[in-house]
Amino acid sequence: LLLIPVVGEFSAGKSSLINKCLGKNILSVAITPETAIPAELYYSENEYDEGVYEDGRTEQISDLTGASEKYVCVRRHINSVFLKKIQPLVLVDMPGFDSPLGSHNKAIFNYLDKGSLYVVITPVDAGTVSSSMAKQIENILAFGKDCIFFVSKTDLRSEEETAQVIDEISSELETYVGYRPQVSKVSQNDSSLFNTFIDSLNADELFNKQFIESIKDECYSTKTSLNTKIAALKADKEKNKNAVEELKESIEKINVKKEKMIESAKTNSYTAEADAVASAV
């Protein structure tokens, strides 16, 4: 599964946009910073919610009230054609960047490593990239992840005003991303561009971008470790072989000495000594 966090400040229209895609009002649009919690959205014919503890344990829950105080995120299993169609992509409705609570900021930070691609939403009435959003974009890019940008609530402004805001935001983003990115628009009643974008994502490419380098590093590390152990085993094998050869040589020497002693015992005559003893007796 590849996580696609949808990020932005509070009241940016993230939840409204996702609800539009889902075809049902699943996500609360009146949530407050104090009650916000990341919500991972999975397709399921049977709808249910899970709370996820910090240690990874999960439990099924019937009410999201107080979830932000107990869990690090919730997993919402929803019967939605949209979610089914985009599998294995999983959208994540994130708390606002401007949350005043450290726990929420920590939750956002935790997803910097988990996310495959970030959808950044800025409301048209904001008209600019806020300092909190700029900081989070820099964090996302620092983790080697990509962003796609949308201006939301464009039905609140005229076409001309919306175009000006998009041009201004794109210009500001160039400072952070190093190029002038495309910024698309979505309205409260039209999410078609967002849907088209999500549909166009290539899961294999996202997987490769997120995991291929770490997989290569892991394979290289494993290979290096194995080669080191093999070299050590070969060295021990050579030492053992030399020791065996030395033991064989020692055995040969003992055998030669034994044969000489046997031959000496056979050739030595004690007759004279026996006669002398007999004569003395």
Side-chain angles (χ1 to χ4, degrees):
L1 296 174
L2 300 170
L3 301 179
I4 310 292
V6 181
V7 298
E9 297 181 357
F10 278 102
S11 300
K14 302 186 302 298
S15 298
S16 296
L17 175 61
I18 296 174
N19 280 338
K20 197 71 178 177
C21 295
L22 298 177
K24 56 181 75 177
N25 292 325
I26 292 291
L27 304 176
S28 173
V29 296
I31 200 165
T32 65
E34 289 74 26
T35 58
I37 185 172
E40 300 176 0
L41 310 178
Y42 298 84
Y43 167 74
S44 175
E45 291 186 0
N46 300 316
E47 297 191 341
Y48 63 97
D49 297 325
E50 289 180 308
V52 182
Y53 288 98
E54 191 168 355
D55 60 5
R57 291 181 297 114
T58 62
E59 65 180 4
Q60 192 164 328
I61 55 179
S62 57
D63 187 359
L64 297 180
T65 303
S68 61
E69 300 173 1
K70 190 174 182 181
Y71 309 111
V72 294
C73 74
V74 293
R75 292 174 181 165
R76 310 205 63 181
H77 301 263
I78 305 166
N79 190 355
S80 164
V81 174
F82 175 75
L83 293 180
K84 182 178 182 180
K85 182 172 59 174
I86 68 172
Q87 293 181 116
L89 305 180
V90 175
L91 292 182
V92 186
D93 185 25
M94 297 293 293
F97 281 155
D98 50 347
S99 170
L101 301 182
S103 59
H104 295 158
N105 291 327
K106 179 182 177 181
I108 292 171
F109 184 80
N110 287 340
Y111 275 88
L112 291 176
D113 189 40
K114 297 177 183 178
S116 298
L117 177 73
Y118 290 77
V119 177
V120 181
I121 307 291
T122 302
V124 69
D125 51 350
T128 186
V129 177
S130 67
S131 58
S132 59
M133 176 176 287
K135 181 179 179 181
Q136 294 300 340
I137 290 173
E138 289 179 333
N139 288 336
I140 291 170
L141 297 176
F143 273 74
K145 306 303 175 66
D146 291 330
C147 298
I148 189 75
F149 302 94
F150 286 89
V151 168
S152 63
K153 302 182 179 180
T154 55
D155 50 319
L156 300 179
R157 294 287 187 273
S158 67
E159 288 289 334
E160 182 180 356
E161 289 176 319
T162 297
Q164 290 176 350
V165 169
I166 288 176
D167 184 68
E168 177 63 26
I169 289 176
S170 179
S171 177
E172 291 178 359
L173 289 171
E174 184 176 7
T175 304
Y176 307 107
V177 301
Y179 61 92
R180 194 179 178 94
Q182 178 181 346
V183 179
S184 303
K185 63 180 183 179
V186 291
S187 71
Q188 295 179 95
N189 298 315
D190 184 9
S191 61
S192 57
L193 282 176
F194 181 80
N195 289 5
T196 301
F197 163 71
I198 296 296
D199 286 342
S200 68
L201 292 177
N202 186 305
D204 290 337
E205 290 180 0
L206 288 175
F207 177 87
N208 288 340
K209 185 171 181 60
Q210 181 174 359
F211 297 110
I212 197 68
E213 291 304 320
S214 59
I215 290 174
K216 286 181 179 179
D217 290 342
E218 185 66 26
C219 289
Y220 178 78
S221 176
T222 302
K223 182 179 179 180
T224 301
S225 176
L226 286 173
N227 286 339
T228 300
K229 291 179 180 179
I230 289 171
L233 288 172
K234 285 182 177 179
D236 290 341
K237 181 179 179 181
E238 190 65 29
K239 290 179 181 178
N240 290 336
K241 182 179 178 181
N242 292 337
V244 169
E245 291 300 322
E246 290 178 1
L247 288 173
K248 286 182 178 179
E249 290 178 4
S250 297
I251 291 173
E252 287 298 322
K253 290 179 180 179
I254 291 173
N255 284 333
V256 170
K257 187 174 182 179
K258 181 188 72 173
E259 292 299 329
K260 287 182 178 180
M261 292 177 69
I262 292 174
E263 188 62 31
S264 176
K266 288 181 178 178
T267 56
N268 285 340
S269 175
Y270 297 97
T271 303
E273 288 82 351
D275 288 342
V277 171
S279 297
V281 172

